[in-house]
Amino acid sequence: MHMEYKDAALPIPVRVTDLLSRMTLEEKIAQMHAFWLLLSEDGNHKVRSDAFIGHSDQEKLQQMLKNGLGQITRPLGSHSVDPRQGVRALNRLQKFLVEETRLGIPAMSHEECLVGLMARGGTLFPSALAFGATWNPALIERVGKVIGDEARSIGCHQGLAPVLDVSRDVRWGRTEETFGEDPYLIGVMATKYVQGLQGEKRDLLATLKHYVGHSFSEGARNHAPVHLGWRELNDTFLLPFEMAVKGANAGSVMPAYHDIDNEPCHSSHHLLTTVLREQWGFDGLIVADYIGVSLLYQHHGVASGKAEAAALSYNAGLDVELPGDDCATEIKAAVERAAVLPLFPALHALPDGGLAQADLFRHGGVALPAVGLQQLDEAPRHLVQSRRRVSSAVVTEVRHASILTRGQRRNKCSTAESAVTTAHKRFFRRCGATKVQNQ
């Protein structure tokens, strides 16, 4: 029987519509969350459970996997594993999903990669602050390309980087993850990083985070509330995200843990849908920060439990819960209670494909139904040998470029500051960027 969704020659909307029409509610829900597993080459995968992500039922794992899976969380970065062994374990999972589930949909694999692929043998670059201090966007694009090449070599489809938070209080413990304190510089560097990481085909998705204002928290505490007006939010904190979405066609965005004016980012329809999709034209995946959906009932107190937290976040515009399935598994209960609207993205076929997993079609991350298992088994040699390749030269260049004398830094800063206004205007003319309207 001909299955249109497996026909790569057909238009994406046709394939998505066909796939959605075949899926049960349980299969759709399975595509809307991840599992954090410790993968094994023999297929005896273990569920990672701890105080941070909670506990999943090991006995129910195989039963749940039969419905498919949206994403696999950090298969090679969760524990120290030889890249070849890690890829063979990932292949084993993908083989199961393709050959032993009803629809044969492989999972998307994501890894951390802010200053290098976080896996054994990956190239480690200087901090993101050092990236900003280079004042060299072309160099940062090369950094992104090296990281992207290494990520692809282990079967990764999405990298959880770059960080676009604008530094405002150095007490904030994640300042070292930022490009610095200038919104335009951050936007330029992030745009080039994304272009390098994703490549022309956008077959590896960059993830812009943490959307938005995460670095401006009360008392510089992680997760703490953010208090600022919409003009400052738009002009300072949203600007880098808008630049990377419009200038680099970023493939994914991750909302932040905090709330702005008592509205958590993970449940903000204004931020996730009105601004991101409707005003900026973003067409990629919106993925939760780890346990971000759970925090809606555990920390923010805006939801009474898992089902309501899922309804709030997915109705706001979220596509995939990470790193596990704490709340997504309650979507069925939310649907039965009519807490999830008909426009719920993964339950309704949008014009260009509303199912989150449809990005496999849109971006070419994995060709259905084949996964390329044999090629992946050989690919990790690229990762193992990475430090003997050009990446080592790029690391050295970033290190040298970020270490300037006081006079050199003063001259570079003066030149950059005088160019910001002109470049800012040029960006808005080129991209047709518009100021975000207040709620």
Side-chain angles (χ1 to χ4, degrees), residues 128-129 131-133 140 162-163 165 177-181 185-186 189-190 193:
L129 278 176
F131 290 176
I140 302 311
V163 170
D165 297 318
E177 298 179 36
T178 75
F179 287 109
E181 59 187 6
L185 175 66
I186 294 170
M189 292 297 186
Y193 181 102

Side-chain angles (χ1 to χ4, degrees), residues 20-65:
L20 284 169
S21 69
R22 299 174 185 274
M23 299 179 79
T24 65
L25 176 60
E26 289 77 11
E27 288 169 333
K28 291 176 180 178
I29 292 172
Q31 296 301 321
M32 298 169 65
H33 67 78
F35 277 143
W36 200 339
L37 306 175
L38 300 180
L39 301 182
S40 174
E41 294 179 67
D42 61 8
N44 187 26
H45 312 305
K46 303 294 184 182
V47 177
R48 171 175 171 167
S49 299
D50 55 37
F52 176 67
I53 64 171
H55 303 274
S56 298
D57 192 335
Q58 182 73 33
E59 295 182 1
K60 293 183 179 179
L61 175 60
Q62 287 300 116
Q63 180 181 347
M64 295 182 68
L65 283 176

Side-chain angles (χ1 to χ4, degrees), residues 275-356:
V275 174
L276 193 54
R277 295 200 183 276
E278 296 175 0
Q279 296 181 3
W280 294 354
F282 175 72
D283 69 345
L285 286 174
I286 300 177
V287 299
D289 203 346
Y290 286 13
I291 72 166
V293 180
S294 302
L295 289 179
L296 295 180
Y297 75 89
Q298 294 176 348
H299 172 71
H300 293 289
V302 296
S304 59
K306 296 179 180 181
E308 189 175 357
L312 284 173
S313 58
Y314 286 108
N315 280 327
L318 187 75
D319 290 310
V320 182
E321 180 182 13
L322 301 181
D325 63 336
D326 182 52
C327 295
T329 52
E330 300 297 321
I331 291 175
K332 186 174 182 180
V335 170
E336 292 171 350
R337 286 162 36 193
V340 178
L341 303 177
L343 293 180
F344 192 6
L347 304 181
H348 182 75
L350 301 178
D352 62 347
L355 184 68

Side-chain angles (χ1 to χ4, degrees), residues 169-329:
D169 189 334
V170 295
R171 296 177 301 168
W172 188 57
R174 306 185 70 170
T175 299
E176 66 178 16
E177 298 179 36
T178 75
F179 287 109
E181 59 187 6
D182 183 274
Y184 182 77
L185 175 66
I186 294 170
V188 170
M189 292 297 186
T191 296
K192 288 301 181 182
Y193 181 102
V194 170
Q195 290 173 339
L197 187 78
Q198 294 189 157
E200 295 182 1
K201 295 181 179 180
R202 200 164 77 154
D203 54 356
L204 172 67
L205 306 184
T207 307
L208 310 181
K209 60 183 190 179
H210 306 87
Y211 183 74
V212 57
H214 193 36
S215 55
F216 200 51
S217 58
E218 182 181 272
R221 294 172 296 137
N222 207 31
H223 295 210
V226 170
H227 309 289
L228 77 168
W230 283 101
R231 180 177 294 279
E232 185 176 5
L233 179 68
N234 296 339
D235 292 351
T236 299
F237 297 97
L238 281 169
L239 176 64
F241 288 92
E242 183 178 8
M243 292 174 68
V245 167
K246 293 184 174 180
N249 198 23
S252 183
V253 170
M254 176 182 284
Y257 288 129
H258 65 268
D259 63 84
I260 301 175
D261 195 22
N262 295 324
E263 181 182 54
C265 295
H266 275 78
S267 61
S268 174
H269 186 274
H270 177 75
L271 289 174
L272 301 186
T273 297
T274 303
V275 174
L276 193 54
R277 295 200 183 276
E278 296 175 0
Q279 296 181 3
W280 294 354
F282 175 72
D283 69 345
L285 286 174
I286 300 177
V287 299
D289 203 346
Y290 286 13
I291 72 166
V293 180
S294 302
L295 289 179
L296 295 180
Y297 75 89
Q298 294 176 348
H299 172 71
H300 293 289
V302 296
S304 59
K306 296 179 180 181
E308 189 175 357
L312 284 173
S313 58
Y314 286 108
N315 280 327
L318 187 75
D319 290 310
V320 182
E321 180 182 13
L322 301 181
D325 63 336
D326 182 52
C327 295
T329 52

